[in-house]
Amino acid sequence: YLYWGSGLRVSRKITEIYKIMNSKKVSEEKIPINILYPSRGSFVSKYRELSSPMFNIEDCYDEEAVEFFEKLKKNAIEGGISLIYGAPGTGKTTFIKFLAREFTHDEAMSISYVPVSFLEENKSSNLLEFLDGEGSQILVLEDAESIVMEQDQRSSFTSLLLNTTDGILGDICNLHIIVTFNCKFAELDPALVRRGRLKGMYEFKALSDEKAESLRKKLEHNIDSNLSCDIFNPEDNGAAKKERAKIGF
């Protein structure tokens, strides 16, 4: 295969080709995703695979989270922004994996991930140039407190986030951005939750007693916690408790 283009167009085409060539080879345990890296003042996209969650989403989350998941699947094919927030260890990252797995065999969908620290090393104009794609696209920004929190003066990336998810530029990019963060909802920039831009938001919390007990039984893990991270990783070296106490959760 030969393909010439720029930005997410290349990223999306590479993903399409990979899915076609490996439709019978790719393990069901792997999820395709594009990782954006800063390079020479711009960004490059590299194809990577994530490990797939071992259960169905209904096994790992309460009913409200599953309902939000179904809504997000429908909204993801349109431009806009979805906010996912909550304390560390409540399942936000695994939730993103479930969403990426949902579009594994969808050749019309491209999912990309960029660490916020990479954005801070680059200029917003470089990312805007890279976001020149076609079709439906999802961009995941994880742990994005530095971008979404209300500030006296908005950063260039906060402005870019707002512009690419609404208005004329939003229509051109057709980009759905999923933002995860740990700060409180009240600390958000109010412009992020404007009607027309915000497609959905959900606060992740510890699992209900019933769901946590069900998940512990499936995993055969005996641990006194309703946090997803504790249930899936029951080995306790004392570090997790100290860290949660340190950051106030």
Side-chain angles (χ1 to χ4, degrees), residues 99-229:
L99 183 68
R101 186 172 74 177
E102 195 70 23
F103 293 109
T104 294
H105 302 292
D106 187 344
E107 296 176 9
M109 176 64 73
S110 173
I111 301 180
S112 301
Y113 169 87
V114 56
V116 172
S117 60
F118 288 177
L119 296 180
E120 295 169 351
E121 298 172 8
N122 225 309
K123 295 181 179 179
S124 59
S125 57
N126 294 333
L127 182 60
L128 179 59
E129 180 181 356
F130 188 86
L131 297 176
D132 177 22
E134 51 190 23
S136 300
Q137 304 169 53
I138 298 175
L139 180 66
V140 178
L141 303 177
E142 193 171 30
D143 296 331
E145 285 82 1
S146 61
I147 293 179
V148 302
M149 291 181 66
E150 186 174 16
Q151 304 170 24
D152 293 335
Q153 183 174 0
R154 287 186 183 133
S155 69
S156 59
F157 284 110
T158 302
S159 298
L160 179 66
L161 180 65
L162 298 174
N163 291 333
T164 54
T165 52
D166 195 18
I168 294 176
L169 192 57
D171 289 342
I172 294 173
C173 292
N174 192 29
L175 180 69
H176 193 101
I177 301 181
I178 299 175
V179 182
T180 78
F181 54 93
N182 300 324
C183 63
K184 297 179 181 178
F185 180 77
E187 299 172 343
L188 284 184
D189 187 323
L192 289 169
V193 296
R194 194 179 101 179
R195 290 185 180 182
R197 174 179 290 126
L198 181 65
K199 301 301 182 181
M201 60 182 176
Y202 186 78
E203 180 182 9
F204 282 80
K205 301 177 181 178
L207 297 175
S208 65
D209 291 340
E210 181 180 0
K211 181 60 66 175
E213 180 60 24
S214 173
L215 187 56
R216 283 192 290 264
K217 287 182 178 180
K218 286 182 178 294
L219 291 167
E220 298 182 349
H221 289 169
N222 183 20
I223 182 170
D224 184 21
S225 175
N226 285 14
L227 284 177
S228 297
C229 66

Side-chain angles (χ1 to χ4, degrees), residues 22-38:
N22 295 276
S23 59
K24 295 182 180 179
K25 299 178 183 179
V26 176
S27 167
E28 292 298 326
E29 301 302 317
K30 298 297 181 180
I31 303 171
I33 195 169
N34 302 306
I35 309 295
L36 307 190
Y37 295 90

